[in-house]
Amino acid sequence: MKISTKIKKLQLLHPFKIARRTTDSYREVITVEIDGGIGETSPAKFYGETVQTVEKVINELSGSLDVDLDAIQDVMSKIEQDLPDNYAAKSVIDMALHDRFGKKMGAPLYKLWGLNPKKTPNTSYTIGLDEPNIMVEKVYAAEEYPILKVKLGNQDDFDILTNIRRITNKPIYVDVNTAWSPQEAVEKIKKLSDFGVELVEQPTTAEDIDGLKYIRDNSKLPIIADESVKRAEDIPKIADAVDGINIKLVKCGGLLEAIRMIHVARVHGLLVMIGCMIESSIGITAAAHLTPLVDYADLDGNLLIKNDPYKGVTLQNGKLILPNCPGIGVAPVDV
C-alpha cells in the first residue's frame, strides 16, 4: 500500500482559545492520498499526537500491507494490531480508504451506508474563549449560524453569557474543556439554564468519571462527554455518568470506529454529537456523512480558517448539505 503525505498550515480567522490552551495563528494538519483516495487528520497534543508523529507512523506503514484495499475493515484491523494507539494516524488512513472506495463505487459515503442526506442536523458555530467584549464581536460575525457553541472555563463565564444574551437569543451549547471542578460545575450549571443554554460539554477533567456522574445527577441540562470518551470501548464505562458523547474522527481512529461508537452509544441510550478539530473541508465533510445518524453536529472547523484548500459540505441556514459526489465528495478550491 503506497501512501503519500503532505503537511499543511491552516490559517485561523481569529486566535482560537479554549480553557487549557490557545492556538494563535494556524493549525497544522496532514493529508494522505492512497490510490486516489484522500484523507486528513488534525492531531492534538492532548491525545499525544502531532503531524510529525502521524507522518512518521504512516511512512513506516507505507508499502508494508499486502491486502485488498477494498476490504477496509481488514486493512484497519491489521493496522490496529500494529498500532494500538496513534488514533489520528489511523483516522486519516481510514478516511482515505473510504474516499477511494466511494470513488470506485461511484457513490458518496452516505449512500454506501444507506443514510438519508435530508436528515442532517444544523451545525453549531464555535465562539472561542476570549475577553467578553471580543467574544461578543465574534457572535456578531457569526450572525448566519443558528446555533452557538460557546467556550467557557474562566472567571468571566457569566459576563460572557450575559453579554452574548444581550445581542442574540440563539440556542447555546457550552463547552468547558475540562476546566471546572465537579462542585463548581453543579453551581454554574444551575445558572446556565437562565441563559438558554441547551447542553454542557465536558465540564470536568477527562479521568474524573465519578465527578461527571455527580454533575449529571445534579444537573437539569444534558452533560456531553468529549475528552472522557475516545473509542467504543470507553462508552460502557461512562454511560451512567453522562447523557451523551462527542465523537471525533481524530480521537477515535476513523469512520469505522465512529460508526461503532454511534451504535454502542445508542444501545446505552446516549445522545450523540459529531465534533471536530480545526480542519479543512476534507475532514469536516467526511464526518458530515455520518450526521444523519446523530443528534448534534459541531462541524465548523473549516469555517474557522482563511485558507481552506478544498470544498465539500456546505451549509443552508446552518443545515449541513452533503455533496452528491463519489467518496467524501471534496474537490480542490480553484486558485
Side-chain angles (χ1 to χ4, degrees), residues 174-204:
V174 159
D175 188 0
V176 189
N177 290 111
T178 76
W180 293 340
S181 70
Q183 294 75 19
E184 180 184 13
V186 168
E187 292 305 311
K188 288 193 171 183
I189 291 170
K190 287 178 182 177
K191 302 178 183 178
L192 291 184
S193 57
D194 294 337
F195 291 91
V197 172
E198 297 194 352
L199 62 84
V200 178
E201 190 176 335
Q202 199 63 49
T204 196

Side-chain angles (χ1 to χ4, degrees), residues 9-314:
K9 290 185 177 181
L10 303 180
Q11 303 294 328
L12 301 182
L13 288 172
H14 311 282
F16 188 78
K17 183 178 180 181
I18 64 175
R20 63 173 179 266
R21 63 166 172 79
T22 301
T23 304
D24 288 321
S25 58
Y26 67 88
R27 172 86 177 211
E28 286 191 321
V29 299
I30 184 166
T31 58
V32 167
E33 289 194 30
I34 303 174
D35 191 25
I38 192 167
E40 176 191 72
T41 193
S42 180
K45 290 182 181 179
F46 182 82
Y47 298 111
E49 292 182 82
T50 65
V51 290
Q52 287 76 28
T53 65
V54 170
E55 186 175 49
K56 181 175 184 294
V57 165
I58 290 175
N59 287 337
E60 291 172 353
L61 285 172
S62 183
S64 68
L65 292 177
D66 184 17
V67 293
D68 179 3
L69 296 182
D70 291 349
I72 301 173
Q73 178 70 63
D74 290 351
V75 177
M76 296 310 299
S77 294
K78 176 65 169 66
I79 293 174
E80 187 72 33
Q81 293 173 10
D82 296 338
L83 297 173
D85 298 311
N86 302 102
Y87 297 118
K90 287 184 284 197
S91 76
V92 73
I93 295 172
D94 169 288
M95 192 183 299
L97 291 176
H98 276 89
D99 184 52
R100 173 192 174 275
F101 186 69
K103 288 173 177 173
K104 184 175 180 179
M105 295 294 102
L109 296 186
Y110 70 83
K111 285 189 177 179
L112 294 177
W113 295 328
L115 302 181
N116 184 351
K118 295 180 180 179
K119 292 188 175 180
T120 59
N122 290 343
T123 183
S124 55
Y125 183 88
T126 303
I127 307 298
L129 194 60
D130 215 314
E131 298 296 325
N133 61 314
I134 296 177
M135 292 182 73
V136 166
E137 293 175 7
K138 293 179 181 179
V139 171
Y140 276 124
E143 183 178 358
E144 64 185 289
Y145 307 109
I147 303 170
L148 301 177
K149 182 174 180 178
V150 178
K151 297 287 188 178
L152 297 181
N154 66 21
Q155 70 278 4
D156 295 325
D157 287 341
F158 290 107
D159 288 339
I160 290 167
L161 291 173
T162 297
N163 288 346
I164 290 175
R165 272 293 171 245
R166 285 174 180 159
I167 62 171
T168 182
N169 60 358
K170 293 177 182 178
I172 291 176
Y173 306 160
V174 159
D175 188 0
V176 189
N177 290 111
T178 76
W180 293 340
S181 70
Q183 294 75 19
E184 180 184 13
V186 168
E187 292 305 311
K188 288 193 171 183
I189 291 170
K190 287 178 182 177
K191 302 178 183 178
L192 291 184
S193 57
D194 294 337
F195 291 91
V197 172
E198 297 194 352
L199 62 84
V200 178
E201 190 176 335
Q202 199 63 49
T204 196
T205 56
E207 301 79 14
D208 190 2
I209 307 306
D210 289 339
L212 280 173
K213 188 174 189 318
Y214 170 76
I215 295 167
R216 183 203 180 198
D217 289 347
N218 291 277
S219 170
K220 294 181 179 179
L221 297 178
I223 305 300
I224 308 297
D226 180 0
E227 286 88 342
S228 292
V229 56
K230 302 178 185 69
R231 292 168 61 80
E233 64 196 43
D234 298 324
I235 295 172
K237 308 169 191 175
I238 200 171
D240 292 336
V242 296
D243 299 289
I245 62 168
N246 186 347
I247 299 170
K248 294 176 181 173
L249 302 183
V250 170
K251 67 174 178 172
C252 79
L255 292 159
L256 283 179
E257 182 64 20
I259 292 170
R260 290 190 196 100
M261 292 183 74
I262 292 169
H263 293 317
V264 174
R266 295 312 193 189
V267 168
H268 287 276
L270 295 175
L271 299 165
V272 178
M273 175 185 285
I274 290 281
C276 64
M277 305 298 188
I278 295 172
E279 305 171 41
S280 83
S281 284
I282 301 174
I284 298 300
T285 305
H289 283 274
L290 292 172
T291 59
L293 293 172
V294 308
D295 304 289
Y296 309 107
D298 180 41
L299 294 177
D300 63 344
N302 59 331
L303 306 176
L304 304 175
I305 59 176
K306 301 176 183 177
N307 61 330
D308 190 349
Y310 285 83
K311 55 186 177 182
V313 65
T314 57

